[in-house]
Amino acid sequence: QVQLVESGGDLVRPGDSLRLSCATSGFKHGYYSIGWFRQAPGKEREAVSCVSGGSRDTYYAASVKGRFTISRDDAKNTVSLQMDNLQPEDTAVYYCAADPRSYNDIPKYCRSYYFASWGQGTQVTVSS
């Protein structure tokens, strides 16, 4: 059974940093494409960043590029999202997701409907 558990969400001030982690189990972590998505109140879920299970290429949404960094540790079955210079518009519930397809063209496939398994989410609030 595929399981993903996010952690690391918190209330922070603008300009602060946070590191989200996603612990996975129940599948061969090294083969899966994995992504981070977020959903703010009243808005649709959007892609933040994804990493391909095949090429290991990464994708970042324009709004986070240069501030967020995705990384995966296949030995530890974890995926992290380092978030720097957080802004109020980054406030959202952040979800980790995984899919068994390699998605080598990761910019095309970093969309919520391409990912089969989801965690429960972790709240990130950025406020002064």
Side-chain angles (χ1 to χ4, degrees), residues 9 19-20 42 86 96 101:
R19 187 175 182 87
L20 304 183
L86 283 160
C96 176
R101 288 166 283 194

Side-chain angles (χ1 to χ4, degrees), residues 40-99:
K43 294 188 176 181
E44 292 188 356
R45 191 170 298 187
E46 63 175 357
V48 175
S49 180
C50 295
V51 54
S52 165
S55 65
R56 295 298 196 261
D57 287 344
T58 57
Y59 164 84
Y60 295 94
S63 59
V64 307
K65 199 168 186 178
R67 300 188 297 125
F68 291 12
T69 304
I70 191 171
S71 60
R72 61 188 297 165
D73 186 334
D74 293 334
K76 296 182 179 180
N77 290 348
T78 59
V79 180
S80 298
L81 185 69
Q82 176 66 37
M83 306 186 296
D84 297 321
N85 190 22
L86 283 160
Q87 299 300 315
E89 53 266 33
D90 296 317
T91 295
V93 178
Y94 283 70
Y95 297 91
C96 176
D99 194 274

Side-chain angles (χ1 to χ4, degrees), residues 95-114:
Y95 297 91
C96 176
D99 194 274
R101 288 166 283 194
S102 59
Y103 291 154
N104 288 327
D105 187 3
I106 197 62
K108 175 180 178 181
Y109 292 103
C110 192
R111 305 287 186 271
S112 58
Y113 42 82
Y114 286 119

